[in-house]
Amino acid sequence: MVTVDRAARRPPTARRRGIRPTRGYRVFQAINGVILTGVVVVTLYPFLNIVARSLSDEAYIIAGRVSLVPRGFDLTSYRLVMSDAMFWTNYRNTVMYTVLATVIALVLTTCYAYVLSKPQLKGRGALVGIAVFTMFFSGGLIPNYVLITSLGMKNTVWAVVVPNAISVFNLLVMKAFFESLPAELEEAAAVDGLHTYGILLRIVLPLSKAVIATMVLFYAVSFWNSWFTAFLYLDQQDMFPVTVYLRNLIAGATGAQSAGGVADADAVQAAATLQSVTIVLTTLPILAVYPFIQRYFVSGVMLGAVKG
Amino acid sequence: MFQQTWRRAAAAVVGLLTLTLVACSEEEPNKDLSGNRAGAMADYGVGDQFTATEPVSFSMLYNNHTFYPLKEDWLLWSEITKRTNVKLEPVVVPASDYEQKRSLLIGAGDAPMIIPKTYPAQASPFVSSGAVLPVSDYLDLMPHFTEKIEKWRMQPEIDTLRQSDGKFYVLPGMHEKPWHEYSLAVRADVLDQLGLPVPKTWDDVYTMLKAMRARYPDTYPFSDRWGKPTPGGALLNFLGASYGTLAGWNYQHATWVPGEKKFVYTGASEQYKQMLQFLNKLVAEKLMDPESFTQSDDAARQKLANGRSFVISANAQTLVNELRPDLAKTQPNARLVKIPLPVGPAGEINPASRLESGVMISSKARESKNFVAMMQFIDWLYYSDAGQEFAKWGVEGTTYTKDAAGRRAPTPDVTIVGLNPRGSKHLQKDFGFANGVFAYGGKLDLVQSFFPPEELEFQKVMNGRTPIAVAPPYPLTDEEREQASLWETPLKDHVTQNSLKFILGQRPLTEWDAYVGELKAKNSEQYLDMVNKAYGRFQKSNG
């Protein structure tokens, strides 16, 4: 993408001088375009299909006639889902958990990554090792559960927002980014009398907007989508995030076998539209955040990647 | 905190060691309940209403259903407390992942006292950990439960629950009569058009499909659902039963042969082969959609709704809630009926089991001073006629009425499964009754009290048939179970894979002997030896 932009902006004289794209390159671009368009279609279609289903009359869905355009426009399902108080309670929980967890994760990850980016730190290798170790090995489900329970965090917000606060992948990306900042800047700041925290807060962080935005996005999306921690550590339905609500709704609509063949007397199954509506309502906010952060996105990860 | 956990873990290890040692010396369980009788009724017998003598509370795992999510102001909770002086403290788990959370809580030693909605086979993995109570040791506390076993002659079924120590660990749900739900749903209007009667046997089904295909050559008359995750799960289950074998959802490696008093390997048995032959015939003659065994339910429903198929597996619920509404929207003149289970070589049988999911008790509950009260409470709520009626229908006069003949009906403003469709309050959603956690099984008239007339008709036919013989138990020891599960997975994969190949004609049935040889190479015979040995052992010590 970047290359194409530059080619377009290049003055005409430069073109004439024969930096003109070769035939092979143009063929490559064409193929590239076709493949990427294919990818866009493949990823976009299911989403648009869900949106169309959520707005359609059920008869058309059952008849298999809804693809991209809603048929028999119908908002009853939206009204139905939105009138369920538990949906909104859980929705509010998700927003709260996501915001809180992202803040905690960002603070902890930034601190850890910044420290690790300093070559003069003693035991730096060990500290990196500890982090990387957790990428490959984990205590397992039951020990984690026992840990959280004995720390008294079960059935509290902390069980959801603390355990996954540091993602090692994000940590390494951030560390690489900090390493790529010129050390001279920090030295200059130190000469001008800033102490360590001052350097981090006034010099490094303002220069790291790109990577921070990227991390916010990564963390927020993963916390928004996560359901497993909440499912493990919470026992009260008014504490569940909306993802657990959604998962139960979808699971309730599939398979009689899980009920052992003998289902409950009135296991009326959630209609296809109801599922779609809930999916749309759940993904919409996080989709809305994407465009605003995306412009930082590429540079954030790229800077990390090149250096790292 | 950590230290405590460590200490607890150490204590657990020591405890386990002692247990093993003690187990070697054939120890009798501690039967002294004098310290556990707080709140219990001194003489509680059949027909008594259980009421704790002091207020007690029990924690319980709660399977939260999508359709009627838990509400704290349900009449169910307040009425339980009013009648029994018991307050239940539910630990809410979404139904979607109930089993996983249950394993986790039991594994972590954090399980609530009462663990309902557990299918008999699901209890086995927890036995060796000692985290679950061997309830069979405490049946004397449960008069209604033992009375039902006797009155309904449930002993053979109960015996299937026993583990290698001769005890059982789950209090099962029990039906007075087997309740078979699944069969074929057939487009009756197409039958009329072709001048055919409702098929009685699987051969009639074949004739019917053939006629349908002749009339509509562009369709596969039979396109089935419930193919995921077990290919052909429902169909193989009830078709297999008609052939006297265990297949689909109910696939079990060992089939009991009453005549020879031993088990044979299911996937290599003659009955299993005949069943495959029948399906192979349907697919080969294009009477059955080859996608039937693997397609999604939605795909199968769409084909039926669009008139591209006329026959599908169904139960009463899917018939009323899914298939008919689908058809009503696309083909208003269609009439879909669930036919009595077609009869096969096994004769006129009713394949349903009389056992259902039931209740496990956490071992920790045994130490509670209210243990006896809890067992009495469970006995009343789950096994007494009054408790079962209460759990299903609620409070007489408030949620339902009963006429002189004993027929129940919801009160005018209460609705449930198509009864009183205009009622403003829902028996499950607004009152918490007919809740899958509490209400299942029981006397025939109670089980059938929600059934619409056509399902009653279906059940009448099914109940006129002979219940299938219950296979004797063959409880495996811990080591055997471990070995068995190592053998079972590859065996089952091979059977499933080749069943599909035989049905779809990708492998000719002439290769049957080669296939049986492959199963032997995967230890099917050693497996059977083990099962037959375990059976003999159990007969010797308990027979």
Side-chain angles (χ1 to χ4, degrees):
Chain A
M1 288 296 269
V2 177
T3 342
V4 177
D5 282 347
R6 248 185 240 149
R9 261 186 248 128
R10 199 172 292 150
T13 43
R15 274 199 177 170
R16 241 177 280 135
R17 272 194 210 134
I19 315 177
R20 176 195 301 184
T22 61
R23 197 147 175 244
Y25 183 67
R26 262 179 293 164
V27 171
F28 167 76
Q29 269 190 317
I31 295 176
N32 218 1
V34 170
I35 293 178
L36 287 180
T37 315
V39 171
V40 168
V41 169
V42 169
T43 42
L44 210 58
Y45 178 78
F47 184 74
L48 291 179
N49 180 253
I50 289 279
V51 175
R53 273 164 165 260
S54 74
L55 293 168
S56 296
D57 184 20
E58 243 203 297
Y60 291 94
I61 300 178
I62 292 156
R65 285 168 56 196
V66 176
S67 54
L68 284 178
V69 184
R71 305 218 170 191
F73 191 78
D74 185 11
L75 285 176
T76 345
S77 303
Y78 276 94
R79 242 172 270 141
L80 212 69
V81 171
M82 289 183 166
S83 66
D84 183 357
M86 195 49 73
F87 174 78
W88 290 115
T89 312
N90 290 349
Y91 210 99
R92 199 194 57 217
N93 288 341
T94 293
V95 173
M96 192 181 81
Y97 294 157
T98 305
V99 170
L100 193 60
T102 309
V103 170
I104 292 177
L106 217 60
V107 170
L108 292 182
T109 312
T110 311
C111 293
Y112 200 174
Y114 183 64
V115 165
L116 289 184
S117 70
K118 297 286 156 263
Q120 72 269 27
L121 178 72
K122 282 194 186 110
R124 179 170 171 237
L127 284 175
V128 175
I130 289 173
V132 174
F133 183 80
T134 62
M135 266 178 114
F136 302 104
F137 304 96
S138 82
L141 215 54
I142 291 178
N144 270 335
Y145 180 84
V146 173
L147 174 66
I148 297 291
T149 312
S150 54
L151 289 175
M153 301 207 297
K154 199 176 88 174
N155 279 327
T156 66
V157 189
W158 308 114
V160 182
V161 298
V162 172
N164 294 319
I166 293 183
S167 141
V168 180
F169 173 77
N170 290 352
L171 177 75
L172 294 181
V173 168
M174 224 172 171
K175 168 177 161 285
F177 181 89
F178 287 140
E179 278 169 353
S180 71
L181 287 178
E184 291 79 5
L185 269 178
E186 295 183 39
E187 282 162 15
V191 169
D192 284 347
L194 272 179
H195 53 76
T196 319
Y197 296 101
I199 294 174
L200 175 63
L201 293 176
R202 296 194 189 176
I203 308 293
V204 176
L205 287 187
L207 287 170
S208 310
K209 274 187 206 128
V211 80
I212 288 173
T214 313
M215 292 300 122
V216 167
L217 190 69
F218 277 175
Y219 275 123
V221 170
S222 80
F223 287 126
W224 186 277
N225 289 333
S226 88
W227 64 277
F228 196 60
T229 26
F231 158 73
L232 286 183
Y233 305 129
L234 302 180
D235 294 339
Q236 292 150 10
Q237 55 176 350
D238 50 6
M239 289 192 71
F240 289 152
V242 75
T243 37
V244 175
Y245 177 95
L246 177 65
R247 190 179 155 79
N248 204 19
L249 190 70
I250 292 174
T254 46
Q257 199 196 355
S258 59
V262 191
D264 303 326
D266 194 10
V268 175
Q269 311 195 321
T273 41
L274 221 57
Q275 289 178 41
S276 318
V277 166
T278 320
I279 293 174
V280 169
L281 287 177
T282 320
T283 44
L284 218 54
I286 206 76
L287 271 176
V289 177
Y290 251 97
F292 296 102
I293 303 191
Q294 206 190 15
R295 59 198 177 103
Y296 298 105
F297 196 66
V298 177
S299 55
V301 189
M302 284 294 281
L303 269 172
V306 171
K307 187 75 182 192
Chain B
M1 284 287 191
F2 278 139
Q3 287 232 318
Q4 245 177 18
T5 317
W6 274 114
R7 236 177 272 154
R8 251 182 249 158
V13 170
V14 172
L16 269 179
L17 285 175
T18 359
L19 259 184
T20 338
L21 290 176
V22 174
C24 295
S25 56
E26 286 285 316
E27 175 243 20
E28 269 293 296
N30 177 15
K31 282 277 195 177
D32 177 26
L33 291 166
S34 51
N36 311 91
R37 290 193 180 273
M41 286 169 70
D43 39 24
Y44 166 69
V46 174
D48 288 350
Q49 159 73 51
F50 169 76
T51 311
T53 54
E54 58 183 72
V56 287
S57 61
F58 305 123
S59 59
M60 91 181 283
L61 204 59
Y62 185 87
N63 181 14
N64 201 14
H65 199 283
T66 322
F67 184 65
Y68 43 93
L70 181 145
K71 286 185 197 143
E72 269 157 35
D73 58 358
W74 273 347
L75 181 61
L76 171 80
W77 305 121
S78 52
E79 193 67 21
I80 285 181
T81 312
K82 199 170 123 199
R83 294 191 185 195
T84 64
N85 220 354
V86 169
K87 189 177 174 348
L88 285 172
E89 291 159 0
V91 172
V92 182
V93 180
S96 56
D97 301 274
Y98 184 73
E99 283 152 34
Q100 196 179 3
K101 181 101 179 206
R102 181 180 61 206
S103 308
L104 174 77
L105 290 176
I106 295 177
D110 202 24
M113 297 160 89
I114 305 174
I115 309 167
K117 265 271 179 263
T118 304
Y119 285 88
Q122 294 172 338
S124 308
F126 305 120
V127 169
S128 59
S129 71
V132 177
L133 193 75
V135 279
S136 51
D137 287 344
Y138 301 97
L139 295 188
D140 51 326
L141 303 176
M142 310 190 71
H144 290 107
F145 180 69
T146 41
E147 190 227 357
K148 293 255 142 80
I149 294 179
E150 212 159 293
K151 209 164 77 182
W152 295 345
R153 299 171 197 284
M154 301 287 293
Q155 203 57 50
E157 276 104 334
I158 295 291
D159 281 339
T160 61
L161 302 174
R162 293 187 191 279
Q163 303 291 337
S164 58
D165 55 6
K167 298 173 181 180
F168 58 87
Y169 291 76
V170 60
L171 294 164
M174 295 190 288
H175 288 264
E176 183 183 2
K177 295 270 183 193
W179 172 22
H180 181 78
E181 281 193 289
Y182 289 82
S183 183
L184 296 178
V186 175
R187 280 275 296 272
D189 54 316
V190 178
L191 282 184
D192 289 350
Q193 188 189 9
L194 297 169
L196 288 170
V198 168
K200 287 216 166 49
T201 66
W202 285 103
D203 288 336
D204 295 347
V205 170
Y206 169 74
T207 321
M208 169 191 78
L209 293 175
K210 204 140 172 101
M212 286 172 165
R213 171 88 188 176
R215 178 78 172 72
Y216 299 97
D218 300 336
T219 59
Y220 288 113
F222 184 10
S223 185
D224 209 9
R225 65 185 297 179
W226 286 312
K228 281 176 180 174
T230 316
L235 174 67
L236 289 178
N237 184 8
F238 58 73
L239 178 65
S242 309
Y243 275 83
T245 187
L246 305 161
W249 286 344
N250 194 25
Y251 184 79
Q252 284 158 37
H253 294 269
T255 304
W256 175 243
V257 186
E260 299 174 37
K261 290 227 169 281
K262 66 167 193 183
F263 287 90
V264 297
Y265 192 77
T266 309
S269 64
E270 183 57 31
Q271 290 90 329
Y272 197 86
K273 184 184 173 187
Q274 285 174 5
M275 175 193 78
L276 295 183
Q277 263 165 344
F278 177 75
L279 287 172
N280 173 265
K281 187 168 69 172
L282 295 191
V283 173
E285 298 182 19
K286 298 200 188 304
L287 305 179
M288 186 172 185
D289 186 354
E291 289 174 7
S292 291
F293 299 92
T294 44
Q295 69 189 344
S296 71
D297 287 4
D298 282 347
R301 280 171 66 180
Q302 281 181 16
K303 286 178 190 169
L304 185 81
N306 293 327
R308 279 154 55 213
S309 73
F310 311 114
V311 179
I312 192 169
S313 297
N315 61 14
Q317 285 168 38
T318 54
L319 186 71
V320 176
N321 294 337
E322 298 176 10
L323 303 176
R324 280 196 185 139
D326 289 2
L327 274 171
K329 283 170 191 153
T330 48
Q331 323 223 358
N333 297 324
R335 269 191 307 122
L336 194 71
V337 294
K338 188 171 81 160
I339 64 170
L341 181 63
V343 178
E348 299 210 357
I349 47 124
N350 184 342
S353 163
R354 292 198 291 163
L355 294 186
E356 245 214 68
S357 73
V359 181
M360 282 196 299
I361 312 284
S362 163
S363 302
K364 278 191 310 191
R366 173 68 181 77
E367 272 111 62
S368 157
K369 66 178 177 18
N370 303 122
F371 174 69
V372 174
M374 187 187 83
M375 296 303 276
Q376 291 176 342
F377 168 72
I378 293 173
D379 180 65
W380 178 80
L381 182 59
Y382 282 94
Y383 297 103
S384 74
D385 290 346
Q388 287 178 338
E389 180 161 358
F390 162 73
K392 185 149 187 158
W393 279 95
V395 182
E396 193 171 351
T398 309
T399 55
Y400 76 104
T401 53
K402 221 170 169 178
D403 65 11
R407 266 195 306 272
R408 304 169 190 87
T411 45
D413 59 338
V414 175
T415 176
I416 178 74
V417 277
L419 303 171
N420 265 357
R422 285 206 201 117
S424 57
K425 291 176 182 159
H426 196 280
L427 187 61
Q428 291 173 311
K429 289 182 182 181
D430 298 313
F431 294 101
F433 296 109
N435 186 325
V437 177
F438 300 104
Y440 41 72
K443 289 204 297 196
L444 189 65
D445 77 299
L446 185 69
V447 169
Q448 299 193 340
S449 53
F450 286 164
F451 287 179
E454 58 171 334
E455 179 67 11
L456 282 175
E457 202 49 46
F458 177 87
Q459 291 302 329
K460 217 163 125 193
V461 177
M462 293 308 295
N463 281 328
R465 299 184 180 176
T466 329
I468 46 167
V470 179
Y474 51 93
L476 304 175
T477 63
D478 284 346
E479 300 89 72
E480 282 173 341
R481 192 176 302 118
E482 210 165 295
Q483 179 61 61
S485 58
L486 287 179
W487 284 334
E488 276 169 356
T489 315
L491 275 172
K492 188 166 183 189
D493 287 351
H494 198 70
V495 171
T496 312
Q497 232 173 55
N498 283 283
S499 299
L500 277 183
K501 281 189 185 165
F502 285 130
I503 291 171
L504 300 178
Q506 290 167 3
R507 189 172 180 182
L509 274 152
T510 47
E511 285 185 26
W512 180 260
D513 292 339
Y515 154 76
V516 173
E518 287 154 22
L519 290 178
K520 281 181 186 159
K522 292 183 190 295
N523 304 311
S524 65
E525 289 193 320
Q526 284 97 313
Y527 181 86
L528 276 178
D529 281 349
M530 196 166 80
V531 167
N532 281 317
K533 225 185 282 169
Y535 160 70
R537 194 173 54 214
F538 185 81
Q539 289 301 311
K540 225 177 183 176
S541 56
N542 296 283

